[in-house]
Amino acid sequence: MRILICASLLLMTMTQAPATVRTVPAVDLDRYAGDWFEVARYPNWFQRNCAGDVRASYARRADGQIDVVNRCARADGSVIEASGLARVIDTLPYHGPLLLSTNKTELSGARLSNLKCALRAERERSTEVTNEPYHLVLDVSDICNLKCPLCVQATEPRGRKRTTLTVASAIKALSAFPGAVLRVEFFNWGEPFLNPEFLTIAQFADTAGIFSRTSSHFSIRNLPDANAIIDSGLKWVVLSIDGVTQETYEKYRVGGKLRQVLANLERLVQAKRRRRAVFPIVEWQFLALRHNLDEIQPAHNRARDLGVDVFRYGGARGEMANRIRVSDQENYSQSREYLLDGSDPLSEYDPNGQKLNQHEHDGCRWLWGKLAVHADGGVSPCWTSWQRHFDFGSIQEMPLDRIWREQNFTAARAAATGARNNTGPARLCEQCASCSAFVNAPERLSGWPTKQQIHHAAESLVAAGIGIDPSLQAEIESTCDH
């Protein structure tokens, strides 16, 4: 009888579909703290010497940060241990919680209402929209002094004429949707800090109460003063540093000088420390490639020693300009010299070249709530469009809010939801729809903040020394009920 019961239970576990696993809306540090023990794992290179007793210990500190100790036992019984600091950052940079830290509280109600309308439009996939974009990408410079092999600077240098975004053009774009825009990315195809007016543009965004993020390689001889970067109001700076030796680093960051990068990084971190500044959050981003896997852990150690806020690593993706025009497999094949083998745990692709990380295919959101502006003023439906002949218009010739309402965006939304035989710029979206699943509607109204997210965001901001208007928090939380 016992054998039959066990067999029945085994059959049930084999045939029942697993419940959908979802992330929590916010981190509860009191519940998270303590010891976590590993019962199973996918192979990870950094655990290759762990034979057993793998655990992670988290302890909440008085300053709101978290002490982290990771340890495991080797086969000979000796212990491997690594210590670090962690902080909760997941509620700060996205959507509704951004409204808590804005210096334009009078616009918060309008922006929150627009966001909710935009998220609904993303789901319903209408060709006509009543909302405005809540997320902008402004490429402040499409000039770059490096030639990274998978970037358009190396693969399609004739796609656009190189230039930098003027302050006047940036103000046009940032002022087009005052009651809508929550965040702006100041990067895309080039190096932002090669625009001498970049920090002036960032200051305007901060004055307008817009969360801003940029991404840089930091291999710049005459980088602006670290204090000027802090004073610009930038909230997040991502630094692409894929090695800890010049030999490894320059294999991908062709033309880059690692010593210069690290010196610039150290000056920024030290200036933040002297001023006790929370922003900008400084993130070290490490692209895992065929040649640099052995330097991930040393890079992590270096980032920790310097005092970097966030260290992030992961497998690189295929050649940028081709990504929306060819299949995953073809894109992987063209970029294989640099990408990780499909069997590597960090690879973005399986051994057949199929993209593994499919969450980004859950639904194209760009056409309903986002848009991109190139350094020359050209407007694109998303930040994967590089060639000028796919532009939907130019802010030099037409106001951005009018471009958003014009035929090209309407035709693109139709193309993304099934219309074919487009002859204008909207054929870009038709190509994307033909070779990937980017255009499926999101399964649910994701991205809308819950009361708990707003509450935890407020706690995090207050812990960081940023004042919160209680009446504004109450207003936003009440909106979450509808």
Side-chain angles (χ1 to χ4, degrees), residues 18 23 64-65 172 406 427:
T23 58
Q65 298 188 93
K172 281 183 184 178
E406 285 289 303
R427 69 185 185 277

Side-chain angles (χ1 to χ4, degrees), residues 5-117:
I5 293 173
C6 290
S8 299
L9 290 173
L10 178 61
L11 183 60
M12 289 172 61
T13 60
M14 292 174 62
T15 56
Q16 282 185 325
T20 300
V21 178
R22 300 193 185 280
T23 58
V24 295
V27 177
D28 185 333
L29 291 183
D30 292 323
R31 293 186 63 193
Y32 197 83
D35 294 328
W36 292 70
F37 297 88
E38 181 182 274
V39 295
R41 68 171 182 261
Y42 286 108
N44 289 303
W45 66 270
F46 53 84
Q47 290 180 297
R48 58 189 179 277
N49 294 319
C50 292
D53 192 22
V54 181
R55 68 179 73 184
S57 300
Y58 302 90
R60 188 167 187 169
R61 294 158 49 108
D63 61 4
Q65 298 188 93
I66 307 146
D67 283 316
V68 183
V69 179
N70 292 297
R71 62 174 64 87
C72 71
R74 296 188 180 93
D76 63 4
S78 61
V79 175
I80 305 171
E81 186 172 291
S83 302
L85 275 180
R87 68 178 67 180
V88 177
I89 59 170
D90 57 349
T91 56
L92 287 177
Y94 293 102
H95 302 336
L98 297 182
L99 295 163
L100 289 167
S101 59
T102 182
N103 53 3
K104 286 287 185 180
T105 56
E106 68 274 16
L107 296 175
S108 295
R111 288 175 174 175
L112 197 58
S113 296
N114 180 78
L115 172 63
K116 192 169 185 178
C117 186

Side-chain angles (χ1 to χ4, degrees), residues 40 73 127 209 224 227 262 412 471:
T127 56
N227 288 302
L262 295 177
S471 61

Side-chain angles (χ1 to χ4, degrees), residues 26-234:
V27 177
D28 185 333
L29 291 183
D30 292 323
R31 293 186 63 193
Y32 197 83
D35 294 328
W36 292 70
F37 297 88
E38 181 182 274
V39 295
R41 68 171 182 261
Y42 286 108
N44 289 303
W45 66 270
F46 53 84
Q47 290 180 297
R48 58 189 179 277
N49 294 319
C50 292
D53 192 22
V54 181
R55 68 179 73 184
S57 300
Y58 302 90
R60 188 167 187 169
R61 294 158 49 108
D63 61 4
Q65 298 188 93
I66 307 146
D67 283 316
V68 183
V69 179
N70 292 297
R71 62 174 64 87
C72 71
R74 296 188 180 93
D76 63 4
S78 61
V79 175
I80 305 171
E81 186 172 291
S83 302
L85 275 180
R87 68 178 67 180
V88 177
I89 59 170
D90 57 349
T91 56
L92 287 177
Y94 293 102
H95 302 336
L98 297 182
L99 295 163
L100 289 167
S101 59
T102 182
N103 53 3
K104 286 287 185 180
T105 56
E106 68 274 16
L107 296 175
S108 295
R111 288 175 174 175
L112 197 58
S113 296
N114 180 78
L115 172 63
K116 192 169 185 178
C117 186
L119 295 175
R120 185 176 297 111
E122 289 171 359
R123 180 176 176 81
E124 294 176 353
R125 323 306 267 175
S126 172
T127 56
E128 301 285 347
V129 297
T130 57
N131 63 279
E132 296 176 332
Y134 59 87
H135 185 175
L136 300 181
V137 172
L138 298 189
D139 195 6
V140 292
S141 169
D142 56 20
I143 300 169
C144 192
N145 54 331
L146 303 191
K147 296 292 182 185
C148 304
L150 301 181
C151 179
V152 296
Q153 301 287 344
T155 61
E156 293 194 17
R158 296 183 181 180
R160 305 188 81 86
K161 181 181 178 181
R162 304 299 196 281
T163 188
T164 56
L165 188 70
T166 66
V167 172
S169 294
I171 290 176
K172 281 183 184 178
L174 292 168
S175 303
F177 311 105
V181 176
L182 284 168
R183 62 180 296 174
V184 59
E185 316 289 344
F186 285 126
F187 67 96
N188 201 1
W189 300 110
E191 170 50 54
F193 286 102
L194 291 180
N195 183 340
E197 298 181 308
F198 171 36
L199 296 184
T200 302
I201 294 171
Q203 284 178 327
F204 183 86
D206 185 54
T207 302
I210 301 172
F211 177 95
S212 60
R213 184 173 71 126
T214 194
S215 180
S216 169
H217 56 61
F218 247 35
S219 183
I220 302 169
R221 182 179 300 174
N222 298 313
L223 188 75
D225 177 73
N227 288 302
I229 296 175
I230 296 171
D231 291 335
S232 72
L234 280 168

Side-chain angles (χ1 to χ4, degrees), residues 193-385:
F193 286 102
L194 291 180
N195 183 340
E197 298 181 308
F198 171 36
L199 296 184
T200 302
I201 294 171
Q203 284 178 327
F204 183 86
D206 185 54
T207 302
I210 301 172
F211 177 95
S212 60
R213 184 173 71 126
T214 194
S215 180
S216 169
H217 56 61
F218 247 35
S219 183
I220 302 169
R221 182 179 300 174
N222 298 313
L223 188 75
D225 177 73
N227 288 302
I229 296 175
I230 296 171
D231 291 335
S232 72
L234 280 168
K235 295 298 187 287
W236 205 288
V237 176
V238 179
L239 303 177
S240 298
I241 312 172
D242 318 311
V244 292
T245 62
Q246 178 64 27
E247 180 183 6
T248 297
Y249 171 78
E250 67 183 356
K251 283 184 180 178
Y252 186 74
R253 304 291 168 185
V254 179
K257 306 297 181 185
L258 181 61
R259 180 178 296 180
Q260 189 175 71
V261 173
L262 295 177
N264 287 335
L265 169 57
E266 187 170 8
R267 280 192 287 270
L268 177 57
V269 171
Q270 288 180 348
K272 280 187 61 183
R273 186 178 295 123
R274 284 194 304 271
R275 296 176 55 171
R276 297 185 178 182
V278 176
F279 300 115
I281 300 295
V282 179
E283 174 183 332
W284 178 323
Q285 179 180 271
F286 190 111
L287 282 183
L289 300 154
R290 283 183 182 265
H291 63 274
N292 65 4
L293 285 175
D294 289 341
E295 296 196 5
I296 294 178
Q297 188 60 53
H300 191 182
N301 295 341
R302 187 69 179 272
R304 182 192 60 213
D305 293 342
L306 286 170
V308 170
D309 297 300
V310 179
F311 180 83
R312 193 187 308 272
Y313 67 92
R317 302 178 187 179
E319 194 266 299
M320 295 179 181
N322 258 351
R323 214 180 292 158
I324 60 175
R325 302 201 302 262
V326 301
S327 67
D328 287 344
Q329 291 88 342
E330 187 176 350
N331 184 241
Y332 174 77
S333 177
Q334 293 172 352
S335 311
R336 195 163 190 166
E337 178 183 353
Y338 297 95
L339 300 183
L340 297 174
D341 186 80
S343 61
D344 191 285
L346 293 180
S347 176
E348 287 277 314
Y349 303 86
D350 68 18
N352 297 317
Q354 181 66 45
K355 190 85 165 54
L356 288 172
N357 192 8
Q358 294 291 335
H359 76 272
E360 64 188 34
H361 294 319
D362 288 345
C364 172
R365 302 178 186 277
W366 283 91
L367 297 171
W368 290 269
K370 309 179 184 184
L371 59 76
V373 178
H374 291 279
D376 61 5
V379 178
S380 292
C382 71
W383 60 2
T384 55
S385 174

